[in-house]
Amino acid sequence: MNASAHVPVITAANDALRRDFPLKPFAIRHRLVGHPLLTLPRIAQLAAELPRDLIEYNSGKVAISQNPDAIPTVDLDPVEVVKRIETAGAWMVLKRVENAPEYRRLIEDTLLSVARARGFDSLSDAGFEQIEGFLFVSSPNSTTPFHLDSEDNFFVQIHGEKFFTIYDNTDRRLVSDDEIERSMTKHRNLRYDESFAPRGVEFHMFGGDGCFVPYQWPHWVRTAGSHSISMAITWKTREVRRANDLHFLNSMLRGLGWPQKPPGVQPAFDGVKLAFYRAGTTAVRPLRTSMTMRRILRRIALGKQANYYLKDA
């Protein structure tokens, strides 16, 4: 794919890329089906190359409202999960795939086409910062529990049938401020009640379909009768990075017995906390090149369950 050709990789009907972005979810179409980086053999190769703490997988036979402490596991190594995904009964995510240069080019080309569709000449002009990619491989009839994410996201379906249901993040009857903080820093799963169902918007996807998922909009996902390959193409704006940093610091302070107001309630105090938090994270950033140190730092900052997805954590 060559972004210089100005061929739109992602499109949306009714001018949604200008009208609804980035405040509301909407359906998209994309041109990534058949891309060689998004096939099972290449994903299996990527699973063999990525650091183990950038791969998470478990059984796909889980509830929408799944207790994080009771998620069933799959007794296969990551490469075997990908190779046997049609029968493994598994759900897997490969995180931060942009660390591989060819995947970074794919993600940047895709977002650059969106930037141009919105009238910008570059990713930075369009506000696409801290760009990341997450590849999902799921067995037939698998569920991703109700959760929210800490970034904006173009979710693209590459293979298989998927149902993706999104809920309004301003509705605190669904997810409270305390739950948002816990979800972002402890475990992403949220409590789901069947009474929420009428408030969701469902996107029914096949290869070539997708949707835009705004920052912190809760959602849950299920696959149908064949294995699924999907990718989340994500970014964080300056505003999102600020909110995330405050959520993380607030979680740490809560753990010390000092619960905090949500970001934005006390702007002046938020500024003080943000300066303190960023000074600390800048100091430890060089340590994060080591997987062992990443695990230690996650445990210190987020508690003993922070490495839940590593079997020997």
Side-chain angles (χ1 to χ4, degrees):
M1 186 188 314
N2 184 354
S4 64
H6 290 208
V7 177
V9 183
I10 287 177
T11 57
N14 302 318
D15 203 30
L17 285 171
R18 292 177 180 267
R19 186 194 64 206
D20 296 331
F21 180 92
L23 300 178
K24 296 179 181 179
F26 52 86
I28 61 173
R29 291 285 299 167
H30 66 87
R31 299 168 58 89
L32 296 173
V33 173
H35 195 287
L37 293 177
L38 304 178
T39 62
L40 286 178
R42 184 61 182 89
I43 295 170
Q45 179 184 340
L46 182 64
E49 297 167 349
L50 280 178
R52 179 61 187 84
D53 66 339
L54 295 182
I55 304 174
E56 181 179 350
Y57 62 100
N58 51 247
S59 171
K61 305 299 183 182
V62 295
I64 303 172
S65 188
Q66 176 66 45
N67 179 353
D69 296 326
I71 297 175
T73 60
V74 173
D75 191 20
L76 295 170
D77 68 48
V79 174
E80 284 303 306
V81 169
V82 178
K83 290 181 176 179
R84 297 164 57 178
I85 196 63
E86 191 67 38
T87 59
W91 169 93
M92 170 182 276
V93 57
L94 285 72
K95 306 176 183 181
R96 303 293 312 278
V97 302
E98 78 288 345
N99 286 315
E102 61 270 44
Y103 283 92
R104 171 168 285 278
R105 287 192 294 271
L106 170 65
I107 293 166
E108 289 181 346
D109 283 354
T110 300
L111 287 180
L112 184 56
S113 79
V114 174
R116 287 172 170 155
R118 298 190 63 243
F120 298 98
D121 293 327
S122 68
L123 296 175
S124 59
D125 288 345
F128 294 138
E129 303 177 5
Q130 198 170 330
I131 293 167
E132 298 174 345
F134 300 81
L135 264 172
F136 298 90
V137 183
S138 304
S139 295
N141 304 305
S142 295
T143 297
T144 305
F146 192 51
H147 69 285
L148 58 78
D149 298 316
S150 59
E151 57 272 316
D152 291 292
N153 169 14
F154 283 117
F155 186 90
V156 295
Q157 184 68 9
I158 306 300
H159 178 275
E161 183 180 7
K162 180 164 281 188
F163 298 85
F164 196 114
T165 306
I166 307 179
Y167 298 78
D168 188 342
N169 78 329
T170 64
D171 190 342
R172 289 295 171 262
R173 296 171 297 174
L174 302 178
V175 183
S176 68
D177 288 314
D178 288 355
E179 287 180 299
I180 289 175
E181 180 186 301
R182 181 196 56 77
S183 174
M184 292 182 61
T185 58
K186 302 299 183 185
H187 193 286
R188 62 182 171 271
N189 287 6
L190 297 164
R191 179 189 62 84
Y192 181 87
D193 188 277
E194 287 300 327
S195 65
F196 298 174
R199 304 175 202 171
V201 176
E202 182 182 83
F203 295 90
H204 186 188
M205 305 178 189
F206 297 89
D209 296 324
C211 63
F212 170 65
V213 188
Y215 175 65
Q216 289 190 344
W217 280 57
H219 51 278
W220 69 277
V221 187
R222 65 181 176 91
T223 62
S226 66
H227 76 270
S228 170
I229 303 173
S230 312
M231 182 165 62
I233 298 172
T234 78
W235 64 96
K236 296 181 178 75
T237 63
R238 293 179 184 177
E239 295 78 13
V240 163
R241 292 207 310 273
R242 175 185 173 88
N244 287 347
D245 287 351
L246 287 168
H247 279 301
F248 274 87
L249 180 58
N250 285 353
S251 177
M252 295 169 67
L253 293 174
R254 184 184 296 276
L256 296 172
W258 301 326
Q260 301 292 304
K261 299 290 185 182
V265 175
Q266 298 175 311
F269 190 36
D270 282 352
V272 173
K273 291 191 297 184
L274 191 67
F276 172 80
Y277 178 79
R278 289 182 171 174
T281 55
T282 298
V284 303
R285 187 171 294 127
L287 301 176
R288 294 185 59 82
T289 57
S290 160
M291 184 172 72
T292 299
M293 287 304 303
R294 288 198 298 271
R295 293 169 64 168
I296 293 171
L297 291 170
R298 278 196 299 267
R299 186 181 178 95
I300 292 171
L302 304 178
K304 64 181 182 179
Q305 298 300 322
N307 295 295
Y308 62 89
Y309 53 92
L310 297 172
K311 293 181 180 180
D312 59 346

